[in-house]
Structure formats: structure tokens, C-alpha cells
Amino acid sequence: MRPVKSVIYKRIPRPDPELIARARRFGVADLHEGLGAVAGRMCLMSPKMLARQDGKRLIGPAITAWNYPGDNLAIHCALEVAEAGDVLVLTNGGGHQGALWGDVACGFAKKQGLAGAVVEGAARDIDAIRELDFPVWSTAVSVEHPEKRGPAAVNVPVTVDGVIVEPGDVVCADTDGVLVIPRALLLHAVDGAEKRAAAEVGIRQLIAAGERPFDIFGFRAAIVEMGIEMKDGTWQDDL
């Protein structure tokens, strides 16, 4: 078996800033739906990836950091090459051993103008992080001591909570979850989100005018077509 090669790439392919600005108008739900059913699911992290503050949002290009389990050298290397507006995407494979992220790193990231951190692994110093008002998502919370010996890799493709993340992919996060949009799909996601948002304006207007979602979405006709019976009674009536 080959040993893991430690490497730090200082640059990433950067997404179109105009597309980022358009995407910033939407939440994770709209962008997820805008990608379509298949890509949307492939790009969405699981509910294990939790926001550690309420009401925070972020969007920006991914700076990736692969950390050996129990070690967080790579996150410090990532902090060295990240630029304002970037999102740190950190992983150690998802174990809780060795906190990947804490308040000291968080304070520096905020000072540098980074957009936030998405951590597959443990974060700690949560109260202090909340006071810093810096957006953080993680799959675990643990204070366990991390080593800083490597190996480490920065700005290489990684798998984070089941989602493939390449450096420069667009990371979107809010209270609903974390979505990673490949750069090649960013325009598709934004176009889809804009269409969805416009359609929902019309749906809300219909509801305000007295229409029912059951009819707006065609569910009444659909259950008839599927042969689903609607009975004017309770389930005890069929005993």
C-alpha cells in the first residue's frame, strides 16, 4: 500500500463571482431543488452535518483539507492559503477523535474574512465560536486533543459526509443543511432556483386567494388516477 502523500495546493479553480452573487439570493432548499432530483441528492450532505449557531448562512468556494484521524495539521495549512470569502471544508473521515476546529482557528478565519467552516468531524469551543459569530457546521462536538503531525493534504478532492467536494466547488449552507454545487453545475442550479422561486410566488398568491395546495398541485386528480379511496368517515367504520 502506498503511504499517504502530504501536499498543499495553494490555488483553486474559482467559480464565476457573478453566479455566486446570483446564488446568494437563495437558500439551500431552493438550490438543492434547482439542481434536480438526482444531482440534488448527490450534492446534499446528511442531517448529521449540523449548524452550530442558529440563523447562519454561507456561500463560497471550497478550500478542502484532509486530516489524518486524530490530527488537525491540515486545517492550519488550509487557513494559510484560504482567501476572503472562501469556505473551509475539513474532514478526518468523520471520527470524533481529535477536534478539527476550535475557537482559535475560528478567530483567525474570521479575521481573514473567510465565509465559514464545514467540518466532517468534531468542533469544540462551541460557546466561544458562537460569541465570535462565525458560521460553523460539524458532524460532532468533542474537546478531544488533536495532534499536529500529519499526514495532511490541502486543496485536493475529498469526500465529506458522503459528498465529493473538489476545491473551488460552491458550498452553500444554512439551518436546513449543507449543499456542495460542482462548478460545472452552478449555472444550472441558479437557473433552477430562480424558476422555483418565481413559481412559488404564484403558488403563495393562489393560496392567499383561497386556493388549496391539494388542488394547486393536482393531488386531487392524482389520487383518483391511482385509485386511492377517500372516505367520509373514520377508520372504525370499516371494522
Side-chain angles (χ1 to χ4, degrees), residues 51 59 63 87 89 146 170 202-203 216 226:
I59 184 167
I63 298 292
V87 178
V89 180
V170 177
I203 290 167
I216 294 170
M226 289 186 285

Side-chain angles (χ1 to χ4, degrees), residues 4-41:
V4 174
K5 179 182 179 181
S6 293
V7 61
I8 302 167
Y9 291 102
K10 296 175 69 174
R11 301 190 184 280
I12 63 171
R14 293 202 167 268
D16 182 344
E18 291 186 5
L19 283 178
I20 293 282
R22 286 173 62 189
R24 200 179 302 279
R25 295 159 37 214
F26 303 104
V28 166
D30 283 334
L31 291 165
H32 164 71
E33 296 285 359
L35 279 166
V38 176
R41 287 187 177 96

Side-chain angles (χ1 to χ4, degrees), residues 29 119 154 159 164:
V119 183
V154 172
T159 300
I164 296 172

Side-chain angles (χ1 to χ4, degrees), residues 74 121 127 134 140 145 223:
D127 289 339
F134 185 81
H145 168 74
I223 66 167

Side-chain angles (χ1 to χ4, degrees), residues 84-106:
D86 289 344
V87 178
L88 296 172
V89 180
L90 319 173
T91 183
N92 65 1
H96 63 79
Q97 299 88 354
L100 282 182
W101 190 253
D103 64 335
V104 172
C106 195

Side-chain angles (χ1 to χ4, degrees), residues 214 218-232:
F214 201 64
F219 297 143
R220 194 177 306 278
I223 66 167
V224 170
E225 184 178 339
M226 289 186 285
I228 299 174
E229 188 176 5
M230 291 187 72
K231 293 189 173 185
D232 187 14

